[in-house]
Amino acid sequence: MTRLLVKYCGNRSLADVKLTAGSRADYLGFLLTPHGKRFVEPEAVAQWLEAVPLQAHQRVVGLFVNATKQSVISAADVVRMDIIQCHGSERPERVADIAEATGLPVWKAIHHERSALDKMKAYAGIAAGYVVDCKVAGQWGGTGFSFDWRAIPGYMEEARRQGVPCFIAGGIRPENIDDVLAYDIDGIDLASGIEEQNEKSGRKMRELEERMRYHGN
C-alpha cells in the first residue's frame, strides 16, 4: 500500500499554518476566492508562509471557486503555491486554460452526485488530480458533511485510469477515519474535521494521525 496523502485545508490564520506545517500533512490548502468563511487574502497567506517554514515534502494548494483566470494568475503572483485547486463548476476548458496560464498543476473538485463520475471523465488529460467532496446546496466545500463512501471505489478506479491522485473530502474526522480508510484511497482532505471553534486543532490532528498510524499510514 502506498503512503496515504493528507491535505489540511481551509487554513485561515498564522496559528493554523503553524499547526498544519508541524503536522503529518503533505498539502496545506488556502481558500483564495472571496467565497465562504475560510477565505484569506493572498497577501496574508504569503506573510504566513514567509514566517513558518514548511517541511521539505509539504506543498501549498491554492483553492479557487469559479474564479477568473486573471484572479488566479494574480494570486499565484503573490502566493508561492505548488498546486491550484478549482473547487467550483469550472468546465474542462477553464481548467486547461488556468493550467496553461500559470504553469501549475490543477486539481479539480468533483461534488458527489449521480452524474459525478461522468463529469470526472470529462477532465481526463486535463486535471492533475481530484478531490471528491459532498454536494451541499449553496455551498462548495468545508461543510463537514460526508457523501456515501460506498461510491469511493468508482472514483478511485477512474482516477487511476487517468493516472492521477484522488482525495476524499467531506465530513472526515478522527472519529470516522477508520471507515474511510477501509477503502483503497490515495488521500484525505480535511477542513472542519480538524477544527475546534473555527480554528485548527492540534489535538484533533494528533488524534487523526494516531489513528492513521494504526492503519500503517
Side-chain angles (χ1 to χ4, degrees):
M1 180 179 177
T2 58
R3 181 179 182 273
L4 182 76
L5 298 171
V6 178
K7 177 168 171 273
Y8 288 157
C9 207
N11 294 281
R12 53 182 145 175
S13 68
L14 178 60
D16 281 357
V17 174
K18 287 179 178 179
L19 283 174
T20 52
S23 75
R24 154 77 167 72
D26 300 285
Y27 301 95
L28 279 65
F30 300 87
L31 176 59
L32 301 176
T33 300
H35 185 100
K37 62 184 181 182
R38 294 185 179 86
F39 165 64
V40 286
E41 296 284 356
E43 291 77 12
V45 176
Q47 290 176 3
W48 302 336
L49 293 175
E50 182 71 23
V52 182
L54 302 187
Q55 299 175 55
H57 72 283
Q58 291 180 326
R59 299 292 180 264
V60 174
V61 182
L63 275 75
F64 300 88
V65 179
N66 298 328
T68 64
K69 180 177 69 174
Q70 187 54 53
S71 65
V72 176
I73 292 172
S74 297
D77 285 341
V78 175
V79 179
R80 182 196 55 77
M81 65 183 82
D82 302 289
I83 296 160
I84 291 167
Q85 180 176 321
C86 289
H87 209 89
S89 56
E90 302 89 355
R91 296 178 63 81
E93 313 86 72
R94 171 62 63 84
V95 173
D97 201 19
I98 289 173
E100 182 179 3
T102 60
L104 293 172
V106 180
W107 292 351
K108 182 68 184 79
I110 300 292
H111 293 88
H112 175 68
E113 58 182 338
R114 182 171 295 181
S115 62
L117 201 53
D118 288 334
K119 290 182 179 179
M120 188 175 180
K121 292 176 181 178
Y123 295 89
I126 298 172
Y130 294 96
V131 176
V132 181
D133 203 351
C134 182
K135 185 176 179 65
V136 177
Q139 300 187 58
W140 292 105
T143 64
F145 290 98
S146 302
F147 63 91
D148 185 348
W149 287 342
R150 291 175 297 181
I152 287 176
Y155 294 118
M156 297 309 308
E157 180 181 358
E158 177 58 25
R160 286 166 186 168
R161 185 187 71 81
Q162 297 184 25
V164 298
C166 182
F167 291 74
I168 302 303
I172 299 175
R173 307 179 300 279
E175 298 82 5
N176 65 10
I177 186 64
D178 295 344
D179 297 331
V180 74
L181 290 182
Y183 297 93
D184 181 18
I185 61 175
D186 294 331
I188 54 174
D189 187 336
L190 294 87
S192 61
I194 50 167
E195 291 179 347
E196 292 180 295
Q197 298 180 337
N198 294 323
E199 296 178 345
K200 293 294 183 275
S201 165
R203 179 187 67 81
K204 285 196 172 186
M205 288 181 195
R206 289 189 296 272
E207 183 180 350
L208 178 88
E209 292 171 10
E210 182 59 37
R211 288 175 180 261
M212 288 192 301
R213 279 192 289 271
Y214 176 79
H215 286 268
N217 291 287

